[in-house]
Amino acid sequence: MLRYTLRRVSLAVVQLGMLAVLVFLLTSLLPGDAAEVEFNEQAGMAQVAQLRDQLGLDRPAIERFADWAGSLLSGDLGTSLVSRGPVSDIITGSLGATAVLALVTAAILVPLAMLLGLLMGLREGSRTDQALSAVMVALNSVPDFVLALSLVAVFSLRLGLLPSTWVDVGAGDLLTRPALLVLPVAVLLARTVCLLSRQIRAGTIAALRADYTVQARRLGVPRAGLVLRHVLPNAAVPGVQELARTGDQLLGGVLIVEAVFAIPGTATALIDAVQSRDVPTVQALTLLLAAVAMALNIAADLVSYRLAPRTEVLR
């Protein structure tokens, strides 16, 4: 277990290093730079060249990469080309709203998906199973941005029940205005709960048909104990793996949700950085999102092994 964990973490570090090189190369190919964007064609070439020199944008790419990589290894994410302040301050300022969205979504997603998945799996083929499956297939086919705009049109513009934007709202204000979270969280949950619950349904059906479950039923194990001790741990294994993949999808969903609802989060900061050609901020945010995705996948493999030690995860 320990050796497997160290191997996965080491692989993740190597992958992050390769991603850092790739991100630097891709950001170097962006048309224009921060100096040109800042002047917005309102200054002469001499002024643009002067600012480019001040920002160090006229240095060779290999030299800029070496400085950035060295800063990363020392824990310094660099300096923003737009605000001239530390990139860490931009990330810290944008993490609050995104963290609240992610935590609230995860807190609802996991128990809801487990409940729905078990309900459908334990009642395979019933009207309840068929109805829930049909609803999930329909929800899963609706793109996030379409669902977000539809919910805003109905619940905000037509009915006036829920706020449609987070403009001038900070993460701390959510404690007094929880209604701001309803529509964004609903959009993030719509597709993810469908995918996760269907995996748990499949795991539940497989566990119910397994030899150990059949034998336990023959020995007179009560249904509640059978589900909690034998079915649920094994049904959760594919659910945990899907949860890690769902986390990857949530990163993309957050990008859309923050754009539609004007949420000042990490995705919004990334879009602003790309538009302003703030390369250090783009690089740091991209690596941060990648590190989160890798951590989710490693955690999913470890949890899967603990739930069902016979799993093939260690091979």
Side-chain angles (χ1 to χ4, degrees):
M1 182 75 173
L2 178 60
R3 187 171 67 177
Y4 170 75
T5 303
L6 293 177
R7 187 168 69 247
R8 285 299 308 275
V9 172
S10 300
L11 178 60
V13 172
V14 174
Q15 290 174 331
L16 278 177
M18 297 173 62
L19 180 62
V21 176
L22 180 61
V23 168
F24 182 84
L25 292 176
L26 292 177
T27 52
S28 299
L29 296 176
L30 287 173
D33 54 30
E36 295 180 4
V37 173
E38 182 168 331
F39 278 113
N40 196 22
E41 300 181 357
Q42 296 179 359
M45 295 300 296
Q47 291 176 291
V48 174
Q50 182 179 4
L51 180 58
R52 187 177 288 117
D53 178 68
Q54 293 175 357
L55 297 176
L57 299 176
D58 56 349
R59 295 184 301 160
I62 187 65
E63 184 178 330
R64 287 184 282 117
F65 176 77
D67 289 345
W68 176 60
S71 298
L72 278 180
L73 293 176
S74 63
D76 182 9
L77 298 179
T79 302
S80 169
L81 301 179
V82 176
S83 67
R84 311 293 196 271
V87 171
S88 57
D89 291 347
I90 297 177
I91 294 178
T92 303
S94 63
L95 272 180
T98 301
V100 170
L101 269 179
L103 291 175
V104 172
T105 301
I108 299 175
L109 171 64
V110 174
L112 180 60
M114 291 291 294
L115 177 62
L116 293 175
L118 281 174
L119 178 62
M120 292 188 296
L122 293 174
R123 304 187 65 179
E124 180 189 6
S126 66
R127 291 183 178 180
T128 301
D129 180 29
Q130 294 174 359
L132 288 175
S133 297
V135 171
M136 290 179 182
V137 170
L139 277 178
N140 195 39
S141 64
V142 180
D144 290 337
F145 73 92
V146 173
L147 180 61
L149 294 176
S150 300
L151 292 178
V152 169
V154 174
F155 292 99
S156 297
L157 301 182
R158 180 173 292 274
L159 300 179
L161 297 177
L162 296 168
S164 61
T165 179
W166 282 31
V167 174
D168 298 328
V169 175
D173 298 331
L174 296 176
L175 298 177
T176 57
R177 300 178 61 187
L180 289 164
L181 284 169
V182 175
L183 293 183
V185 170
V187 175
L188 291 175
L189 282 174
R191 298 182 68 185
T192 53
V193 75
C194 297
L195 297 171
L196 185 57
S197 59
R198 287 179 66 82
Q199 286 291 331
I200 295 173
R201 174 187 180 275
T204 300
I205 294 173
L208 286 172
R209 296 174 178 174
D211 293 339
Y212 57 86
T213 306
V214 174
Q215 182 64 22
R217 190 183 293 114
R218 290 172 179 170
L219 293 175
V221 177
R223 183 174 176 82
L226 185 70
V227 171
L228 292 177
R229 296 181 58 185
H230 299 282
V231 175
L232 183 58
N234 292 281
V237 172
V240 170
Q241 295 293 332
E242 183 63 34
L243 182 60
R245 291 189 289 270
T246 299
D248 298 342
Q249 296 174 355
L250 280 177
L251 295 178
V254 166
L255 184 68
I256 297 173
V257 165
E258 290 188 0
V260 172
F261 296 98
I263 300 174
T266 304
T268 302
L270 179 59
I271 294 174
D272 293 341
V274 171
Q275 291 176 341
S276 61
R277 301 298 187 270
D278 190 356
V279 173
T281 302
V282 173
Q283 294 168 337
L285 285 172
T286 303
L287 289 180
L288 173 64
L289 295 175
V292 170
M294 292 178 184
L296 286 174
N297 282 279
I298 293 174
D301 283 347
L302 297 179
V303 172
S304 297
Y305 178 73
R306 295 299 299 174
L307 288 172
R310 67 184 179 283
T311 185
E312 302 287 336
V313 73
L314 291 185
R315 290 188 179 180

